[in-house]
Amino acid sequence: PRTVEHMVDSVLYLEAGALIDGGTSSLRVLRAAKNRFGSSEEVGVYEMNSGGRLVPVSDPSSYFLSNRIEHADSEGCAVSIVLEGIRTMAVEVQALVALSGGSGGYSGRRVVDGISNSRLLLILAVLQKRYGISFHRQDVYLNVVGGMQLGKGSKSGGGSDLAVAIAAVSSLVGIPCRADTCFVGEVGLLGEIRPVHSLEKRISEAKRMGF
């Protein structure tokens, strides 16, 4: 397959997000792995309707936040502005932390949809090591609403790290997150919040969405 990619002008991937219950999201993301006619950072977002047709999503931020409870502070719920390709979009990160039913040295389950499992484990380790917030013997469930898979773009980085951390801690301690605030930042191994790519574009999108 890699040999064929060198022979063609464009290589496109149409991806479907997997849901936390094992199903498949109606969301489809078109990514360019190779494009000799333009930028490979362009990302197309589509929704597959009941008839099997792909309908373009012109405003992904409004699409992902369409079912969000407006003006209500929610426990375990944080919004982040992510960069997929050259497009900024607002996504909702939800976390549920519950006491594990395991015994002995069982540390708890980690069920993730929308970011890599290793990224969640890194964030939880930083919270425990640097801030003394332990998730030991706690089950942690994390979901990016809408079926979006974060972190696949070359410039997306860990821009949603802060939202993941805020959502997890909010659910753990039972303190709601402010509904009028979004969170952008990469969590470093020393516990610092590191700057992210295209911060000004993310701020502009946050203002457009009313944050």
Side-chain angles (χ1 to χ4, degrees):
R2 291 297 179 184
T3 303
V4 176
E5 287 188 6
H6 289 296
M7 299 170 59
V8 299
D9 293 322
S10 297
V11 179
L12 305 177
Y13 291 95
L14 185 63
E15 303 171 350
L19 300 178
I20 201 166
D21 60 1
T24 303
S25 168
S26 62
L27 185 73
R28 299 294 185 269
V29 178
L30 185 65
R31 303 178 189 273
K34 175 183 178 182
N35 186 8
R36 290 182 178 172
F37 304 107
S39 173
S40 61
E41 296 294 337
E42 292 281 0
V43 175
V45 181
Y46 302 86
E47 182 181 20
M48 181 169 287
N49 61 19
S50 57
R53 296 174 62 89
L54 289 176
V55 180
V57 178
S58 58
D59 187 356
S61 294
S62 297
Y63 172 85
F64 291 127
L65 301 183
S66 59
N67 295 322
R68 185 166 175 262
I69 303 176
E70 296 291 342
H71 309 298
D73 298 347
S74 302
E75 178 183 313
C77 178
V79 174
S80 182
I81 307 296
V82 299
L83 188 71
E84 290 294 323
I86 60 175
R87 300 185 70 172
T88 52
M89 54 190 75
V91 296
E92 182 180 355
V93 178
Q94 294 183 348
L96 175 64
V97 180
L99 185 64
S100 175
S103 59
Y106 183 64
S107 61
R109 299 182 65 194
R110 306 291 185 256
V111 181
V112 188
D113 177 30
I115 67 170
S116 67
N117 188 66
S118 60
R119 196 71 197 176
L120 174 63
L121 294 179
L122 182 149
I123 294 171
L124 297 183
V126 170
L127 289 173
Q128 178 173 336
K129 178 70 174 181
R130 304 300 180 187
Y131 298 100
I133 303 174
S134 176
F135 290 84
H136 181 64
R137 300 201 61 185
Q138 301 282 343
D139 291 336
V140 180
Y141 302 88
L142 190 109
N143 178 45
V144 178
V145 178
M148 189 67 184
Q149 299 294 313
L150 305 182
K152 291 190 174 183
S154 62
K155 297 179 181 178
S156 56
S160 61
D161 286 358
L162 185 57
V164 171
I166 292 292
V169 173
S170 169
S171 181
L172 176 68
V173 301
I175 299 177
C177 299
R178 289 185 53 169
D180 61 352
T181 305
C182 66
F183 305 91
V184 175
E186 179 180 353
V187 174
L189 294 181
L190 300 181
E192 79 279 20
I193 305 301
R194 303 182 63 85
V196 295
H197 183 76
S198 299
L199 183 59
E200 291 301 323
K201 289 182 64 175
R202 300 179 198 239
I203 293 175
S204 296
E205 181 69 7
K207 290 181 179 179
R208 186 182 74 85
M209 296 303 297
F211 293 103

